[in-house]
Amino acid sequence: MRTVSPALWSTTAVTVTVVAVERADVLSALIGLVATLVVLKVGVVVGALALRVPVHKIVVGIGPRLFELRKLVVRVLPVTLNIEVLPTRPRYVGAAITSALFGLAAVAVMATSSQAMAVGGAAALVQALVRFPRPRAAQPGALAVFDLVQAGKLDEAERLVGRLNGENPRLRTLRAARVLVLEARGRYSEALTLAIGMSDDEDDAATTMAAVAGLTGAAVEAGQLEASQGLPVAARALNEAIELGKPSHMMDGVRALLALLAGDPQLAVRLARLACQNNDDSLGRADDLATLARAYMAAGDNSAARRALAQAERLVPWWPRVALTRRRLDLA
């Protein structure tokens, strides 16, 4: 999955440099930039809905989470809009074109009232076009595997991914689906081997290295990999994921798990709490909550661990790390 979100800060720097003649121009440019970013994302939503592009998640706003309804997440301050889609052609190209047309129209409107706003909008548009994920070949049914895992129908997901794998074993979206099924089964070492094999795809290298870091930590925790071998690998993969463009805050869950495995439960608690706040995926948030519960247990606070685990069980009670944490907490 890819998040269709242009690099706001880098675009801001470019825009400010171009129009930094008067403060009013800078402010106008920033307004144009932000407005165009929003319009671009609205264009993606419109295009995706019109062309039936698979949408994984829509997140409205920033700050604490207000509520979640299937694929829609609403946060306290509705000032941003992020859309996660499966970048598979050809419909995805149509959604990208729709987004670009929306952005172009926004810049044209701005040009009639403020040149600085138009420059800011144009900078956002160019940056979005440059950074737009390259579409990939699609495998019918690959997204259905993700949906089946989300619903806890692992037997169906495994049968489907097995059938699809026989048809096109090298397709990236299908290999990602296989990794998810293996992780959902608690077979972390097998999932890790498959994820490492996906690292030859330069377009998704950051996502792949993030997966390698998380799966390595889970394999160490489950006793499927020696800590002396796995922890250095996980740390390197985490750093590489960030260097390749993965937002640092999205790696807090992995950092929390590695801190816990390294014997620092206080740091693990802080990082896991941040990860739970930022993670809008139900499986990922349940996994982070399991880490948080285990960190509380390691810190000697079983009461807080039970509260965190109860939240995880409301999301995905069958997730392997959630279920194992429940057994350990009951024994404690």
Side-chain angles (χ1 to χ4, degrees):
M1 299 294 177
R2 290 287 194 90
T3 301
V4 183
S5 178
L8 178 57
W9 294 112
S10 61
T11 311
T12 302
V14 173
T15 306
V16 171
T17 302
V18 172
V19 299
V21 178
E22 297 180 3
R23 291 183 180 179
D25 285 343
V26 174
L27 180 59
S28 297
L30 290 174
I31 292 173
L33 181 145
V34 173
T36 304
L37 290 179
V38 173
V39 170
L40 285 167
K41 295 173 186 179
V42 170
V44 173
V45 173
V46 173
L49 294 177
L51 300 173
R52 298 183 180 180
V53 178
V55 176
H56 178 60
K57 186 75 67 174
I58 299 176
V59 182
V60 179
I62 59 176
R65 188 181 298 103
L66 283 180
F67 66 88
E68 182 174 355
L69 181 62
R70 300 189 67 179
K71 296 182 179 181
L72 175 66
V73 176
V74 177
R75 294 180 175 272
V76 170
L77 299 175
V79 295
T80 62
L81 176 65
N82 288 319
I83 308 100
E84 294 181 15
V85 300
L86 190 65
T88 54
R89 56 179 183 259
R91 292 178 180 176
Y92 177 75
V93 176
I97 293 173
T98 302
S99 175
L101 291 175
F102 270 56
L104 188 61
V107 173
V109 171
M110 293 174 191
T112 62
S113 60
S114 170
Q115 183 179 1
M117 286 182 64
V119 171
L125 178 59
V126 170
Q127 186 78 349
L129 293 175
V130 170
R131 295 178 61 87
F132 219 85
R134 189 176 69 184
R136 301 190 295 265
Q139 167 66 59
L143 189 63
V145 176
F146 290 95
D147 292 337
L148 287 170
V149 173
Q150 290 274 357
K153 300 177 180 179
L154 301 187
D155 291 337
E156 293 181 44
E158 196 160 5
R159 286 194 296 269
L160 178 58
V161 79
R163 177 172 62 81
L164 295 175
N165 182 60
E167 299 171 3
N168 198 341
R170 297 298 301 170
L171 194 64
R172 180 178 175 81
T173 53
L174 186 52
R175 287 188 289 168
R178 290 173 60 200
V179 169
L180 179 61
V181 170
L182 289 170
E183 183 181 9
R185 291 290 195 189
R187 293 155 59 181
Y188 303 115
S189 59
E190 296 175 58
L192 175 60
T193 300
L194 184 57
I196 291 174
M198 296 168 62
S199 60
D200 56 350
D201 189 337
E202 294 183 0
D203 289 339
D204 277 337
T207 301
T208 299
M209 296 314 296
V212 168
L215 289 169
T216 303
V220 170
E221 182 186 53
Q224 299 174 15
L225 185 64
E226 291 292 333
S228 59
Q229 297 176 343
L231 292 183
V233 171
R236 286 197 300 270
L238 187 152
N239 291 332
E240 287 185 27
I242 296 173
E243 290 173 359
L244 290 168
K246 194 73 172 177
S248 181
H249 72 274
M250 294 180 64
M251 300 301 296
D252 284 338
V254 177
R255 286 195 186 96
L257 176 57
L258 297 184
L260 179 61
L261 294 173
D264 191 344
Q266 286 76 21
L267 177 60
V269 166
R270 292 196 298 271
L271 291 170
R273 291 177 66 179
L274 290 173
C276 294
Q277 293 172 9
N278 294 323
N279 202 328
D280 292 311
D281 176 70
S282 59
L283 297 181
R285 191 157 74 250
D287 197 78
D288 291 336
L289 285 165
T291 301
L292 179 60
R294 293 191 179 200
Y296 276 132
M297 290 175 65
D301 191 347
N302 284 353
S303 178
R306 291 189 179 91
R307 291 194 296 271
L309 186 59
Q311 294 180 53
E313 290 174 330
R314 284 196 291 270
L315 291 170
V316 195
W318 55 266
W319 190 248
R321 296 189 66 236
V322 173
L324 182 57
T325 303
R326 167 54 64 191
R327 290 196 293 272
R328 291 184 178 181
L329 189 56
D330 286 345
L331 288 175

